[in-house]
């Protein structure tokens, strides 16, 4: 008789196989042009020991927020300047994004749907490419789904607005304030479907916005120094 395995065991095996199959990519050469450019900016942070001003090709780099470069530079500090060190933080964020995708789906739809959602996330071609051709996507995806999950939990426990605001701040330090649009749109759509408009006057959501502004202050300060302090 053929042996059967519980769905949870099969899910764990699938996740393990997917992760193991992608680990060799941490050691492959960075792709041109963006990944190599971003890694070079992170390297300049380490070489200059300057975590405020971003430089590329000897000139100010004013196009993107700081967090992805900070993550790469910190990894360079720990592991040395190499391909593995640059890709590792993004790869870990990609894995953490899968975890939060699973938690978010389980919160609303149950265990089976959560497992499928996590597997779809882990095998999505763009997500796999982004975990190797490292730019902002692995970080941004992780922070957006993490913030959304904690906001969903905050419906029951108000203290969840603190980690929600923390991940929202990280998302803004990765891609800018527009990240509030998908997060806020998701919340509004959820309330509309439930006809729960009283949430619009709940103080917790406004406290969440204030905390998000606090957590993004390091980026605002760096932008002030690089843009406005020396126009």
């Amino acid at each position: 008789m053929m042996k059967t395995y519980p769905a949870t065991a099969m899910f764990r095996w699938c996740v393990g196989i997917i992760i193991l199959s992608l680990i060799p990519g941490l050691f492959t050469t960075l792709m041109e042009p963006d990944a190599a450019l971003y890694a070079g900016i992170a390297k300049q942070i380490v070489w200059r020991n300057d975590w405020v001003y971003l430089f590329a090709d000897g000139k100010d780099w004013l196009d993107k927020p700081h967090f992805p470069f900070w993550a790469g530079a910190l990894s360079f500090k720990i592991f040395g300047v190499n391909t593995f060190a640059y890709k590792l933080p993004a790869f870990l964020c990609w894995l953490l994004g899968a975890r939060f995708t699973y938690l978010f789906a389980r919160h609303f739809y149950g265990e089976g749907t959560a497992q499928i959602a996590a597997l779809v996330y882990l095998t999505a071609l763009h997500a796999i490419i982004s975990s190797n051709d490292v730019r902002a996507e692995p970080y941004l995806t992780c922070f957006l789904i993490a913030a959304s999950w904690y906001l969903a939990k905050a419906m029951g426990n108000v203290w969840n607005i603190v980690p929600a605001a923390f991940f929202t701040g990280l998302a803004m330090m990765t891609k800018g304030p527009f990240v509030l649009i998908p997060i806020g749109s998701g919340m509004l759509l959820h309330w509309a479907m439930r006809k729960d408009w009283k949430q619009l006057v709940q103080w917790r959501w406004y406290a969440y916005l204030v905390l998000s502004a606090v957590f993004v202050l390091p980026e605002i300060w760096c932008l002030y120094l690089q843009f406005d302090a020396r126009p």
Side-chain angles (χ1 to χ4, degrees):
M1 181 180 295
M2 183 177 295
K3 187 176 181 180
T4 60
Y5 295 91
T8 299
M10 290 295 295
F11 169 69
R12 290 173 178 171
W13 272 103
C14 288
V15 170
I17 291 170
I18 293 168
I19 294 173
L20 286 174
S21 69
L22 295 176
I23 287 178
L26 293 172
F27 302 92
T28 59
T29 303
L30 293 174
M31 289 186 277
E32 296 278 358
D34 290 335
L37 172 64
Y38 286 23
I41 295 171
K43 182 173 66 175
Q44 289 291 322
I45 291 176
V46 176
W47 282 4
R48 295 171 181 265
N49 196 29
D50 184 347
W51 297 76
V52 173
Y53 300 101
L54 302 180
F55 291 95
D57 299 323
K59 300 177 182 179
D60 281 310
W61 176 260
L62 307 174
D63 290 17
K64 304 290 182 183
H66 286 64
F67 184 84
F69 310 114
W70 284 341
L74 180 61
S75 189
F76 283 157
K77 282 278 192 180
I78 298 172
F79 300 105
V81 178
N82 56 73
T83 299
F84 168 80
Y86 177 68
K87 291 185 177 184
L88 181 61
F91 185 76
L92 294 177
C93 271
W94 175 70
L95 294 179
L96 189 60
R99 175 62 178 170
F100 281 116
T101 298
Y102 167 84
L103 292 172
F104 185 85
R106 189 179 68 176
H107 179 79
F108 288 105
Y109 306 111
E111 181 68 24
T113 302
Q115 293 179 2
I116 294 172
L119 290 175
V120 170
Y121 172 97
L122 288 169
T123 55
L125 179 59
H126 184 71
I128 293 173
I129 293 174
S130 297
S131 67
N132 277 278
D133 182 30
V134 176
R135 289 170 289 176
E137 286 83 355
Y139 302 107
L140 184 61
T141 304
C142 173
F143 301 151
L144 285 177
I145 190 62
S148 299
W149 182 68
Y150 280 113
L151 284 171
K153 297 286 285 183
M155 295 283 291
N157 184 347
V158 67
W159 290 107
N160 282 297
I161 65 170
V162 177
F166 173 73
F167 281 108
T168 301
L170 292 180
M172 286 193 284
M173 289 194 291
T174 299
K175 203 66 175 177
F178 94 94
V179 302
L180 293 173
I181 296 175
I183 295 174
S185 298
M187 295 174 66
L188 289 172
L189 180 61
H190 179 64
W191 296 338
M193 292 173 64
R194 298 179 60 182
K195 295 183 172 58
D196 191 11
W197 296 114
K198 67 179 182 295
Q199 294 297 330
L200 289 172
V201 296
Q202 291 287 329
W203 66 268
R204 68 185 67 189
W205 310 125
Y206 300 98
Y208 153 73
L209 291 175
V210 172
L211 285 173
S212 298
V214 171
F215 284 122
V216 83
L217 283 177
E219 176 65 25
I220 294 174
W221 177 245
C222 288
L223 291 176
Y224 165 74
L225 292 177
Q226 190 165 13
F227 279 87
D228 295 332
R230 51 189 191 94

